[in-house]
């Protein structure tokens, strides 16, 4: 791999990492706005409630899917 190719790879990997952080931040922010810290705590205590990759990019879909489990939050 050339130096330019390696730099392109590193740049793409860095961008992917930053996108992942941004998507996670958006997901958590949406949950905080919806149910506050109790909702986040419930999510983290039950691995069955963990979002799929597509739900991370669309937090509303996760909220709709798990709304019945979130009663009382």
């Amino acid at each position: 791999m050339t130096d330019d190719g390696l730099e392109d790879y590193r740049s793409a990997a860095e961008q992917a990492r930053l996108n992942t952080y941004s998507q996670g931040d958006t997901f958590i922010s949406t949950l905080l706005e919806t149910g506050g810290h109790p909702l986040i705590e419930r999510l983290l205590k039950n691995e069955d409630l963990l979002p799929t990759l597509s739900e991370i990019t669309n937090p509303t879909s996760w909220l709709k899917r798990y709304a019945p489990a979130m009663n009382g939050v």
Side-chain angles (χ1 to χ4, degrees):
M1 184 178 292
T2 65
D3 287 342
D4 287 341
L6 183 57
E7 187 59 34
D8 289 344
Y9 173 80
R10 286 181 179 155
S11 179
E14 177 69 11
Q15 188 60 49
R17 184 178 65 82
L18 292 174
N19 287 344
T20 300
Y21 290 151
S22 177
Q23 292 167 350
D25 183 58
T26 299
F27 180 82
I28 294 297
S29 294
T30 300
L31 268 58
L32 284 170
E33 291 171 7
T34 303
H37 288 282
L39 179 57
I40 301 298
E41 290 172 11
R42 183 174 278 182
L43 164 68
L44 294 175
K45 289 181 180 178
N46 184 346
E47 67 182 48
D48 292 334
L49 298 179
L50 291 176
T52 64
L53 290 176
S54 64
E55 289 172 331
I56 290 173
T57 60
N58 183 5
T60 303
S61 66
W62 182 89
L63 288 166
K64 287 179 183 177
R65 187 158 63 109
Y66 286 109
M70 297 295 114
N71 288 337
V73 173

